[in-house]
Amino acid sequence: MLEIIVLPLLTMVTCKETRAAIIALHKNGFTGKDIVATKIAPKSTIYRFIKNFKERGSILVKKASGRPRKSSKRQDRLLKRIQLRDRSATSAELAQEWQQAGVSASARTVRRRLLEDGLVSRRAAKKPLLSKKNIRDRLIFCRKYSEWTAEDWGKVIFSDEAPFRLFGASGKRLVRRRKGERYHQSCVMPTVKHPDTIHVWGCFSSKGVGSLTILPKNTAMNKEWYQNTLQQQLLPTTQQQFGEEQCIFQHDGAPCHKAKVITKWLGDQNVEILGPWPGNSPDLNPIENLWSILKRRVDKQKPTNSDKLQEVIMKEWVAISQDLAQKLIESMPSQIAEVLKKKG
């Protein structure tokens, strides 16, 4: 009878299945000696399984406790408070300060504890430093236009200047590489001490990109240059995109933009101005997102000299679709609401 029961069990190969077979035989009244005779497992293993089953009433293996934690929950909360007090503190610095509180742990343990609390190391985001006046002006602007819909913003032409640098310095570039390929030609981004920089002025609306002009070398961004740019770039864009329909022009508070001669010229041309524009507020100008997209596209072309860089900038600018431009404009109501929510 024992042989009939055991025969199919002899084919079992995993520890879990062997343990279950031994306990099944034990429950059917077979002694440890009988089970050892089947040679289903070593004698010591069979008796250990039977003993554990008698003590716990289960065939499940008790989970090992592992190495004891070096810190208590209270000490973990202390570490979290230390980190939140100084977000830029390194794991090594935190380990030293934690040690003063009686916890001897490595920087690696510190990182694990913080990770358990959702505190992950990330590059600090950059944002303009806002003064109280900046915050007040931003709130005034956003309250003024809080009721505007995407359709209202579709009547606005946004403008700005932007720099483009040679050798991919306009933005960051990530590469995937294997071990030993850090300096492989396809994995490096060439840099120079003083890269050529090209300054451009551009504008766009929900109807698509408008004019883009490159500031000639050794030309100052002054009121004379700006008035000439508006005359030759802005007016043709408004005529092309809006015709006789009234549109609104946006520009920031740069000195050459606020010059009296510019204000008078815009008035003479019956150009309505959005604003007053709050200082230090690139997040409220969707053209900043357009510049980021354009810079990434230009960097991918890897221009090697200033002439090629200018050529690529112009080529990629006209390749920007109206759908993309419209999506950026349509984000304005939510951006205004977010500023109001964050109180400036």
Side-chain angles (χ1 to χ4, degrees):
M1 181 67 176
L2 176 62
E3 293 177 353
I4 295 174
I5 296 175
V6 172
L7 187 58
L9 299 178
L10 291 176
T11 61
M12 298 180 180
V13 293
T14 67
C15 183
K16 184 177 179 181
E17 292 171 335
T18 302
R19 185 168 58 249
I22 292 170
I23 299 306
L25 292 171
H26 173 70
K27 285 182 176 179
N28 283 323
F30 296 102
T31 65
K33 186 177 180 180
D34 293 334
I35 300 173
V36 169
T38 66
K39 298 182 180 181
I40 192 173
K43 178 179 178 181
S44 59
T45 301
I46 292 172
Y47 280 103
R48 186 176 74 252
F49 285 166
I50 294 173
K51 178 183 176 183
N52 290 340
F53 176 73
K54 288 179 178 178
E55 291 176 351
R56 296 198 300 269
S58 171
I59 65 171
L60 297 177
V61 177
K62 184 179 179 182
K63 187 177 179 181
S65 60
R67 181 186 296 179
R69 285 174 70 95
K70 286 192 172 184
S71 59
S72 64
K73 291 184 178 180
R74 182 176 181 181
Q75 291 168 327
D76 290 345
R77 290 194 297 270
L78 172 62
L79 175 64
K80 181 181 178 180
R81 288 197 299 272
I82 295 172
Q83 175 70 99
L84 293 178
R85 191 170 64 235
D86 182 4
R87 297 288 187 121
S88 62
T90 66
S91 53
E93 292 169 343
L94 292 170
Q96 290 180 355
E97 192 165 350
W98 211 18
Q99 189 171 17
Q100 295 175 4
V103 183
S104 179
S106 66
R108 186 177 178 182
T109 298
V110 167
R111 290 192 292 271
R112 285 202 304 270
R113 294 295 185 274
L114 295 175
L115 187 60
E116 290 171 3
D117 271 315
L119 289 167
V120 185
S121 179
R122 290 286 185 268
R123 188 188 299 271
K126 294 181 179 180
K127 58 170 287 188
L129 180 64
L130 297 175
S131 65
K132 289 184 178 179
K133 183 180 184 307
N134 291 148
I135 294 173
R136 184 176 64 250
D137 291 346
R138 285 163 61 84
L139 284 172
I140 291 172
F141 177 85
C142 291
R143 286 167 182 158
K144 180 178 179 179
Y145 296 104
S146 61
E147 301 299 322
W148 272 30
T149 63
E151 184 178 352
D152 295 321
W153 288 108
K155 299 174 183 176
V156 179
I157 293 182
F158 290 88
S159 70
D160 195 20
E161 296 86 16
F164 286 77
R165 297 181 180 86
L166 210 50
F167 299 120
S170 301
K172 299 180 179 66
R173 180 153 63 97
L174 300 178
V175 297
R176 296 190 185 277
R177 65 186 186 219
R178 293 181 287 263
K179 186 177 181 180
E181 291 186 332
R182 182 176 185 182
Y183 296 107
H184 190 277
Q185 186 62 34
S186 62
C187 299
V188 298
M189 187 170 69
T191 61
V192 294
K193 285 188 176 180
H194 306 290
D196 285 348
T197 302
I198 292 175
H199 292 272
V200 304
W201 178 93
C203 62
F204 90 112
S205 72
S206 63
K207 299 182 183 297
V209 296
S211 294
L212 182 80
T213 184
I214 294 174
L215 181 69
K217 280 189 175 182
N218 303 318
T219 302
M221 285 187 180
N222 53 30
K223 56 188 177 184
E224 289 79 19
W225 165 81
Y226 190 53
Q227 182 174 336
N228 183 61
T229 297
L230 296 179
Q231 177 76 49
Q232 296 185 11
Q233 309 297 330
L234 175 64
L235 294 185
T237 295
T238 57
Q239 182 61 37
Q240 178 185 358
Q241 294 192 351
F242 293 93
E244 299 303 317
E245 182 185 353
Q246 182 65 35
C247 63
I248 303 171
F249 176 57
Q250 179 278 336
H251 61 174
D252 60 27
C256 64
H257 297 178
K258 297 192 297 182
K260 291 181 180 179
V261 64
I262 298 298
T263 302
K264 182 179 183 305
W265 184 88
L266 289 169
D268 292 342
Q269 303 299 321
N270 296 318
V271 176
E272 185 179 349
I273 305 298
L274 182 76
W277 188 260
N280 239 359
S281 300
D283 57 319
L284 290 174
N285 191 347
I287 202 171
E288 295 292 343
N289 301 87
L290 200 59
W291 290 140
S292 296
I293 294 168
L294 181 61
K295 287 178 178 180
R296 286 197 297 272
R297 293 183 179 183
V298 169
D299 287 348
K300 282 185 177 180
Q301 300 296 321
K302 300 180 182 179
T304 54
N305 55 59
S306 294
D307 291 339
K308 187 64 176 176
L309 176 59
Q310 293 184 37
E311 179 185 332
V312 172
I313 291 171
M314 300 302 293
K315 176 185 175 183
E316 293 297 337
W317 175 259
V318 298
I320 293 173
S321 67
Q322 186 200 345
D323 286 344
L324 175 57
Q326 189 167 351
K327 285 179 182 178
L328 293 175
I329 296 296
E330 289 175 348
S331 69
M332 281 302 295
S334 60
Q335 192 70 5
I336 292 289
E338 187 67 17
V339 173
L340 291 173
K341 179 182 177 182
K342 298 292 178 62
K343 300 181 180 179

